Amino acid sequence: MAMELLIQIMLALFFIQKASAQESSVAKPGCPAICGNLTIPYPFGIGTDCSANQTFTIFCNHSISPPRAFLSENVKLEVLNISLELGTIQVNTPVITNCEKRSNDQPLMSSEPFTFSDTQNRLTAIGCETVAVISQEGLSVGGCLTFCNISSIKRNNSCFGSCCQTNIPPSLKLINASLNSIDGKEGCGFVFVVDQNWFGSRTDVYDVTNLEQVPAVLDWRPTGACNSFGPVNSSTKSSVCGRNSLCTDQGLCSCREGYEGNPYLPDGCQVTCTSLGVVLVLAPMCLYKVMKRRHKRKLREKFFKRNGGLLLHQQVSSTETNVETTKLFSSKELDKATNHYNVDRILGQGGQGTVYKGMLTDGRIVAVKKSKIEDDNKLAHFINEIIILSQINHRNVVRLHGCCLETEVPLLVYEFIPNGTLFQYIHDHNEDFPLTWDVRVRVATEVAGALSYLHSAAAIPVYHRDIKSSNILLDEKYRAKVADFGTSRSFSIDQSHVTTKKVQGTFGYFDPEYFRSSQFTDKSDVYSFGVVLVELLTGQKPIMAPRPDDEGRSLVTYFISAMEEKRILDIIDLRIAKDGEKEELIKFAELAYRCLHLKGRKRPTMKQVAAELDSIRMSHGSATAQQNYEDVGYSVSELNEAWDRSSTYTSSTAYISFTVDAEPLITK
């Protein structure tokens, strides 16, 4: 009891000490450290008496609510962040434009008294056939050229085409920017110097045209030694670094090993818990830090076990996979990448979790999926997705970069696919990127090729088990990427099927043969893909809205009926009816028809499907299609009856889990 009481007293003393010393450890003693929501560390200071010299004086404008910081009262550069470790300061700089309503008569960007960082900034321009040039003292020192693109280019979140970027030369303080049209015509363009980390993390980089200012990074570190600032006070004379600190090769002050704090303050570097000769007054702080680190470590270990870390290890030990090369990200790394999982970074939400856009330290843009783990079954799906994707290397399958298991909920890190899902383009009639017949055949061919690879060419064959248009993503060039392998299964080459205790799938794409037998085969994927083909052909959703003629509640029955009655051309999506050759449309429909055969053994393999789609894509209607439809083995009424029975079906050996696609997981 006495020991516990002593610990409580020491912790209480520490928190009192910490609260009183927190502000003084940042700013010069007796000076304010906060302006609005921004911390101002020394050598910067609010007012001339609180900074190292006039160069580092910050003006805090209290007439604004909340107060905002500026480099000086005359230079209207708002300060957004100050980094002592990097020697940089982030400020707002203007977006220069020649648009009539926002014309800027003074296209001058000034970083006085500091310089624009040539490593962290990029000169960026947005416009149509626009030349952006930066000059200093009348000499052109850089520039870039934009091109005119169709409006769909704006869906892409990287800068190319109607957006261009270039590096800026080092040591620039004043930048004169100009915009000119290539053909001399009047245009509307934008040019700005921007922090590339901020710009690259935008959901839509073209939104910058709606802003008047953007963040840029200035370099405030001295060139040469740390004494370039001049004297700080009488005790340090020519050095700006305080006691127990040193001047690094980058010209910045840094606390010596065993010390931490603000190295620019005379006594800013304080002894840490790892140093020798710790005085008794620091014991509470040391104890608190040790306990905090121990608690965080135990929490990470707890999450790692709960999120399947041991299960993943067992899977790696029992299978010949490349899981050991899959990166385990730290929680700190992904928290920084997603800006603390900011709501502005959300790409989409669904039943399996939330997907955020993130930027790793190496500059890669990624999608971070924060999974919903409610039971052991979903945890198994999560680990299964890691195992499956670690085996796959295909251009039309979404790539897994790694995972994080030490957080409260597990995280998966994928390559970022910017242009949404095939489901959106089929059913939302997006005008920015029209889904033409050529595009539909190409996308279908790419997906079929990926599934053929999974079934017959991968090192360990894989059944996807949830093929649907909302699990097909489109990348920056609108190429197909198959995603979501949570319910997928790998199998040995001599296996013909997988028997599952729980029958799972998405209603409308579900293989009726699998439903009856609980045996999932490669032909079950073929059936689901056949539904996607019908979606592409008709523009209809797998579960159709009630129709006046009541032709059936599923797209499959609607399509089968049209095929049997020789009126397939009547149900073709109007957007492609005049675009595609009649023979190609019929061939495409016939292939989908065979994929939907009631008996799996009579369906084509995915390899055959991919070959036929490639033939359709290459033929451009040169061959004459024959409407010789093989009997699919059931009538429309039988199919309707089968689905009616499925809604009330029960079994002692199988559990049924249907999902209905209302909203795809990734929406942007």
Side-chain angles (χ1 to χ4, degrees):
M1 291 295 295
M3 184 63 181
E4 291 179 2
L5 179 62
L6 176 60
I7 291 176
Q8 292 177 3
I9 294 173
M10 293 172 71
L11 286 174
L13 290 172
F14 166 63
F15 284 119
I16 294 173
Q17 173 191 345
K18 183 178 180 181
S20 62
Q22 190 170 23
E23 188 167 305
S24 62
S25 65
V26 174
K28 187 176 179 180
C31 293
I34 303 293
C35 177
N37 300 321
L38 181 67
T39 300
I40 310 295
Y42 192 82
F44 293 88
I46 302 173
T48 54
D49 295 333
C50 293
S51 60
N53 56 41
Q54 187 175 356
T55 301
F56 297 92
T57 299
I58 298 295
F59 170 66
C60 186
N61 189 345
H62 289 276
S63 65
I64 308 171
S65 181
R68 285 149 60 182
F70 295 84
L71 281 186
S72 72
E73 190 169 2
N74 297 323
V75 180
K76 297 299 182 181
L77 286 179
E78 182 183 357
V79 179
L80 306 176
N81 182 53
I82 299 174
S83 172
L84 297 183
E85 294 80 10
L86 300 177
T88 59
I89 179 169
Q90 189 186 54
V91 298
N92 266 337
T93 55
V95 175
I96 307 300
T97 178
N98 59 358
C99 301
E100 283 186 25
K101 295 182 180 179
R102 287 178 50 185
S103 181
N104 192 325
D105 296 331
Q106 298 289 331
L108 188 68
M109 289 174 273
S110 171
S111 63
E112 293 282 7
F114 307 119
T115 60
F116 287 99
S117 171
D118 59 303
T119 59
Q120 298 191 49
N121 295 316
R122 296 290 185 276
L123 174 76
T124 306
I126 296 177
C128 175
E129 294 189 351
T130 298
V131 179
V133 178
I134 56 173
S135 58
Q136 188 178 41
E137 297 179 355
L139 297 176
S140 297
V141 294
C144 66
L145 170 67
T146 69
F147 297 91
C148 291
N149 297 98
I150 59 174
S151 59
S152 63
I153 203 70
K154 294 188 177 181
R155 289 186 56 83
N156 194 285
N157 298 318
S158 57
C159 182
F160 68 91
S162 53
C163 173
C164 68
Q165 288 189 312
T166 187
N167 294 329
I168 64 172
S171 304
L172 287 184
K173 292 185 177 181
L174 294 172
I175 294 179
N176 199 339
S178 62
L179 289 163
N180 298 287
S181 176
I182 296 177
D183 56 9
K185 296 180 181 179
E186 293 186 4
C188 184
F190 304 82
V191 61
F192 44 91
V193 173
V194 66
D195 179 349
Q196 187 62 9
N197 285 333
W198 176 89
F199 187 72
S201 65
R202 302 282 296 175
T203 302
D204 185 352
V205 297
Y206 294 87
D207 282 347
V208 173
T209 58
N210 298 318
L211 305 178
E212 293 186 358
Q213 293 183 316
V214 293
V217 179
L218 308 184
D219 196 340
W220 60 260
R221 80 186 90 186
T223 55
C226 296
N227 58 12
S228 300
F229 294 153
V232 178
N233 53 42
S234 57
S235 63
T236 57
K237 295 184 180 179
S238 62
S239 175
V240 296
C241 300
R243 283 181 283 274
N244 302 316
S245 66
L246 51 84
C247 183
T248 68
D249 294 337
Q250 290 76 37
L252 296 168
C253 297
S254 176
C255 290
R256 296 181 182 275
E257 184 177 357
Y259 296 84
E260 61 182 20
N262 187 338
Y264 295 93
L265 290 169
D267 295 303
C269 293
Q270 298 293 321
V271 66
T272 65
C273 298
T274 56
S275 304
L276 297 175
V278 178
V279 293
L280 183 60
V281 72
L282 293 179
M285 179 177 66
C286 295
L287 181 61
Y288 170 76
K289 288 187 175 182
V290 170
M291 293 176 66
K292 188 175 181 180
R293 283 198 299 266
R294 184 179 179 185
H295 175 71
K296 285 185 175 180
R297 185 180 69 253
K298 287 187 172 295
L299 203 58
R300 287 197 299 268
E301 292 174 354
K302 174 185 175 182
F303 290 149
F304 183 82
K305 293 178 181 178
R306 191 183 73 182
N307 292 334
L310 298 180
L311 178 59
L312 178 61
H313 178 72
Q314 293 171 1
Q315 292 276 13
V316 173
S317 302
S318 62
T319 57
E320 296 180 2
T321 69
N322 294 321
V323 180
E324 64 272 11
T325 64
T326 301
K327 180 176 179 180
L328 285 175
F329 290 90
S330 68
S331 56
K332 183 178 180 181
E333 187 175 2
L334 296 186
D335 184 70
K336 181 180 179 181
T338 58
N339 191 21
H340 314 296
Y341 300 99
N342 194 304
V343 293
D344 293 337
R345 297 288 187 88
I346 293 178
L347 296 172
Q349 300 183 70
Q352 294 189 0
T354 304
V355 180
Y356 297 83
K357 183 179 180 181
M359 184 175 186
L360 302 179
T361 53
D362 60 6
R364 282 183 297 168
I365 305 298
V366 295
V368 180
K369 180 170 147 183
K370 208 172 194 179
S371 304
K372 287 183 181 178
I373 302 299
E374 300 167 352
D375 52 44
D376 291 342
N377 185 51
K378 287 193 174 182
L379 177 60
H381 287 180
F382 172 80
I383 298 301
N384 187 69
E385 187 160 7
I386 299 176
I387 298 296
I388 294 295
L389 287 177
S390 68
Q391 306 170 37
I392 299 171
N393 181 20
H394 192 276
R395 63 183 177 275
N396 296 117
V397 175
V398 67
R399 181 177 301 172
L400 177 71
H401 291 309
C403 62
C404 176
L405 303 177
E406 62 182 30
T407 49
E408 186 174 3
V409 292
L411 305 168
L412 284 173
V413 183
Y414 303 92
E415 64 174 320
F416 175 63
I417 310 297
N419 282 325
T421 70
L422 180 61
F423 181 95
Q424 294 169 309
Y425 288 93
I426 296 175
H427 304 299
D428 294 345
H429 295 197
N430 190 296
E431 295 181 359
D432 288 339
F433 183 72
L435 209 59
T436 63
W437 171 243
D438 287 341
V439 171
R440 298 186 195 209
V441 176
R442 175 181 59 77
V443 168
T445 305
E446 290 170 345
V447 176
L451 294 177
S452 175
Y453 164 82
L454 293 175
H455 288 183
S456 57
I460 302 177
V462 174
Y463 299 154
H464 188 279
R465 295 182 67 206
D466 198 15
I467 293 298
K468 52 188 177 182
S469 57
S470 58
N471 280 342
I472 299 169
L473 311 182
L474 299 179
D475 68 8
E476 67 279 357
K477 295 183 179 179
Y478 295 93
R479 294 171 301 196
K481 296 272 189 175
V482 179
D484 200 343
F485 287 77
T487 60
S488 302
R489 290 286 295 271
S490 58
F491 63 101
S492 61
I493 295 176
D494 59 347
Q495 278 184 284
S496 61
H497 64 271
V498 173
T499 302
T500 61
K501 292 183 178 180
K502 186 174 183 179
V503 177
Q504 292 180 307
T506 301
F507 197 71
Y509 297 90
F510 203 79
D511 175 12
E513 186 175 63
Y514 169 48
F515 176 78
R516 292 192 302 270
S517 66
S518 298
Q519 294 182 349
F520 193 98
T521 71
D522 59 333
K523 299 299 182 67
S524 300
D525 275 349
V526 173
Y527 182 93
S528 300
F529 182 68
V531 180
V532 175
L533 293 180
V534 179
E535 278 185 89
L536 288 167
L537 192 66
T538 65
Q540 298 291 334
K541 294 181 180 180
I543 305 300
M544 300 175 64
R547 302 177 61 86
D549 52 2
D550 192 25
E551 290 193 48
R553 63 195 232 186
S554 78
L555 177 59
V556 171
T557 57
Y558 176 66
F559 172 73
I560 295 295
S561 174
M563 289 291 289
E564 292 181 345
E565 296 171 10
K566 310 298 184 186
R567 55 181 182 84
I568 186 62
L569 295 178
D570 296 337
I571 68 169
I572 299 295
D573 190 342
L574 293 178
R575 291 173 291 173
I576 61 170
K578 296 181 180 179
D579 189 17
E581 295 287 342
K582 177 181 177 181
E583 292 80 4
E584 293 179 9
L585 294 169
I586 293 175
K587 273 190 174 183
F588 195 92
E590 185 180 12
L591 177 60
Y593 187 78
R594 298 197 339 261
C595 289
L596 297 173
H597 201 290
L598 184 62
K599 296 179 180 179
R601 59 187 175 81
K602 291 191 176 182
R603 299 169 197 158
T605 64
M606 280 311 309
K607 186 175 183 180
Q608 291 170 332
V609 172
E612 289 195 38
L613 284 171
D614 191 58
S615 175
I616 293 173
R617 187 182 177 193
M618 299 299 292
S619 68
H620 297 288
S622 59
T624 302
Q626 296 181 356
Q627 298 187 46
N628 181 22
Y629 308 134
E630 180 185 358
D631 179 14
V632 295
Y634 54 86
S635 67
V636 176
S637 61
E638 288 174 331
L639 183 62
N640 282 328
E641 184 181 354
W643 284 121
D644 289 338
R645 287 198 305 267
S646 73
S647 62
T648 57
Y649 179 84
T650 58
S651 170
S652 60
T653 59
Y655 298 91
I656 304 165
S657 176
F658 281 129
T659 60
V660 178
D661 273 351
E663 292 292 338
L665 177 60
I666 300 179
T667 60
K668 294 183 181 178

